[in-house]
Amino acid sequence: MAFDSISVVQPLLKRIPLPSAKILVVAALFGGAALAVVVAGLTIPIPGTGVVTDPREIFTTTGAALTGPFGGVLIGILAGIREPGGIALASLLAHISGGLWMGISYKKLVHEHTQMPLSILGWAAIVLAYYYVIVIPGFVIGLDLFYPAIFAEEYGEGASLFRAYAELGIGYGERGAGVLPEALLTTLITTLAYLALLRRYRRPLW
């Protein structure tokens, strides 16, 4: 009997909820804001450190959480496609993965299983995981995979992925504080925004 690929794919497609127009519009707005931050070169210095932060992740995490996996992918594409330094593929890998994480984890881990005030801790936890479990590893892997020469220049010839992760994530070596101040600042700002929203506006759109 010949293999019928259509009969296999159709049931899978029916189980995947397609995004509504509202989800796509909201995702485009949040993703567009993230893209605008990058295009404008908007950075914020962290007082007391030599680090400057990029506020696009505020829009990426919040927008993806509200719009789900489809919205998270769209936002991830817009947030990563204009990465400075000509390393867009690494940024896309990191931000698309991060968008998927926020889109799924917010609904499945926080919204459906926690109530205030525990949901505040749940939100902060998934944002920190966005950085340290998804985005930073994704960026480091993407840099090594797609731009090995830049990876070697940044972290040294023969440097391991673990060393690159440590330098970028927590400032191990000579990189100051790494992205830790940005991760903490993003977590603080988005948590305050989460607190300010009425419950009906914290409900995922998917």
Side-chain angles (χ1 to χ4, degrees):
M1 184 174 65
F3 177 73
D4 187 353
S5 61
I6 295 179
S7 64
V8 174
V9 171
Q10 282 182 337
L12 294 175
L13 291 177
K14 290 179 180 179
R15 296 178 62 183
I16 301 175
L18 295 178
S20 65
K22 184 176 183 179
I23 286 176
L24 294 176
V25 169
V26 173
L29 290 173
F30 276 91
L35 176 60
V37 166
V38 179
V39 172
L42 178 60
T43 58
I44 303 171
I46 303 295
T49 75
V51 178
V52 292
T53 183
D54 177 341
R56 86 181 104 163
E57 308 303 348
I58 295 171
F59 301 105
T60 305
T61 54
T62 305
L66 293 175
T67 57
F70 279 100
V73 169
L74 175 58
I75 292 170
I77 291 171
L78 292 172
I81 199 167
R82 289 292 301 274
E83 183 72 28
I87 50 175
L89 291 178
S91 184
L92 283 169
L93 177 62
H95 283 96
I96 291 173
S97 301
L100 277 170
W101 161 255
M102 291 300 299
I104 295 171
S105 66
Y106 174 60
K107 180 176 181 178
K108 299 300 183 181
L109 299 180
V110 178
H111 186 77
E112 292 183 351
H113 297 287
T114 62
Q115 298 291 331
M116 284 291 206
L118 187 59
S119 58
I120 300 171
L121 297 177
W123 172 265
I126 65 170
V127 174
L128 289 174
Y130 166 86
Y131 273 96
Y132 285 96
V133 179
I134 308 296
V135 171
I136 296 174
F139 186 82
V140 167
I141 291 170
L143 199 63
D144 185 40
L145 182 64
F146 300 117
Y147 310 101
I150 296 177
F151 181 89
E153 181 181 348
E154 285 287 319
Y155 301 106
E157 194 69 38
S160 67
L161 292 174
F162 179 79
R163 175 184 170 183
Y165 174 87
E167 288 195 20
L168 183 60
I170 59 176
Y172 172 79
E174 300 178 355
R175 292 181 175 270
V179 301
L180 180 59
E182 177 184 330
L184 295 176
L185 186 62
T186 299
T187 302
L188 175 62
I189 291 174
T190 56
T191 300
L192 291 175
Y194 185 83
L195 279 169
L197 290 175
L198 297 175
R199 178 171 174 77
R200 66 176 179 270
Y201 295 121
R202 296 196 300 264
R203 185 182 301 117
L205 299 176
W206 66 293

